[in-house]
Amino acid sequence: MKSKYISPTLNSEAFNCPACHVFTKQCWSFLIGSSHADGFGLQMSDERFRVSVCEHCRFPTIWLGDEMIYPNDLAAEPPNVDLDDDVKADYNEARAIVNRSPRGAAALLRLAIQKLCKQLGKPGDNINADISALVADGLPTRVQQALDVVRVVGNNAVHPGAMDLSDDRETANALFGLVNIIAETMLTEPRKIEELYADLPESARAAIDKRDA
């Protein structure tokens, strides 16, 4: 099963690195600068700036206050590879702006979920109805419950692509994960099983077909 993605947060001991995506320890320090104008060295530090370095790949992240300012477009897990290109486009646009506009990112992710429902053969007109149909097709009920928690579905749902003034970074992070959970369950896992089955010897598949008949 796909492991949970832990988004970068200030002063966390470990999270998924924005560069290598590995969940690993982060080493924190203050940002220190130096100047050598006129031959005199001047060193200064500002405790508002923090730097974390990934223990796995040594990639740094730079923070101003509690906001990651570098890199500013890799603060969420990458999209599932089996998503359609138009779903990935909305997802990646949300990924690029989530630090600056969590509400905008959440609106794009709701739109991505609507498009994902269409990719999975549902009408894409009503997310609530589509998710219920996906549960009937095998999507775990816990995913539907999680969608309700972040107000993607239900009587108070925000229309896909529309902003909800109450959306925050936590909501956006949950939506990133939900898009990939749905894709993993309904697209990736069936594809992997089909590929494994196709790799069986022809004689074995023929025996299976005979058994099932």
Side-chain angles (χ1 to χ4, degrees), residues 6-203:
I6 306 299
S7 296
T9 53
L10 181 67
N11 291 332
S12 291
E13 290 185 3
F15 51 70
N16 285 84
C17 172
C20 68
H21 307 304
V22 171
F23 178 77
T24 189
K25 181 181 177 181
Q26 300 290 321
C27 300
W28 289 90
S29 60
F30 292 112
L31 188 64
I32 297 177
S34 61
S35 171
H36 297 280
D38 300 324
F40 295 96
L42 176 64
Q43 190 174 71
M44 59 183 296
S45 65
D46 188 330
E47 294 188 1
R48 293 174 300 176
F49 289 90
R50 298 273 287 165
V51 179
S52 67
V53 177
C54 171
E55 193 175 70
H56 181 259
C57 72
R58 311 307 298 170
F59 186 87
T61 62
I62 301 175
W63 301 70
L64 173 58
D66 61 359
E67 180 181 349
M68 188 173 72
I69 59 176
Y70 176 81
N72 64 4
D73 60 345
L74 297 175
E77 59 186 300
N80 182 288
V81 296
D82 292 309
L83 291 168
D84 281 347
D85 287 344
D86 60 338
V87 183
K88 287 180 184 176
D90 290 337
Y91 186 104
N92 282 324
E93 185 175 349
R95 197 168 170 234
I97 68 169
V98 66
N99 280 335
R100 298 186 299 276
S101 177
R103 285 181 292 177
L108 284 164
L109 289 166
R110 288 192 174 92
L111 184 61
I113 290 173
Q114 182 182 41
K115 292 179 179 179
L116 174 54
C117 289
K118 294 185 74 172
Q119 180 181 349
L120 294 170
K122 306 308 174 189
D125 299 323
N126 183 300
I127 293 181
N128 190 23
D130 288 345
I131 295 296
S132 295
L134 290 174
V135 170
D137 290 346
L139 185 69
T141 302
R142 66 181 181 274
V143 178
Q144 183 185 28
Q145 293 170 343
L147 287 163
D148 282 323
V149 169
V150 293
R151 300 178 308 282
V152 176
V153 297
N155 294 331
N156 297 320
V158 176
H159 185 75
M163 284 193 181
D164 182 346
L165 295 180
S166 64
D167 280 339
D168 54 17
R169 179 62 188 273
E170 185 177 354
T171 300
N173 284 343
L175 289 168
F176 281 116
L178 286 167
V179 171
N180 280 338
I181 287 171
I182 295 172
E184 180 75 17
T185 303
M186 305 303 290
L187 295 171
T188 304
E189 290 180 359
R191 173 180 59 78
K192 289 179 178 178
I193 292 171
E194 289 175 3
E195 290 173 352
L196 289 170
Y197 186 80
D199 288 340
L200 289 175
E202 185 176 351
S203 58

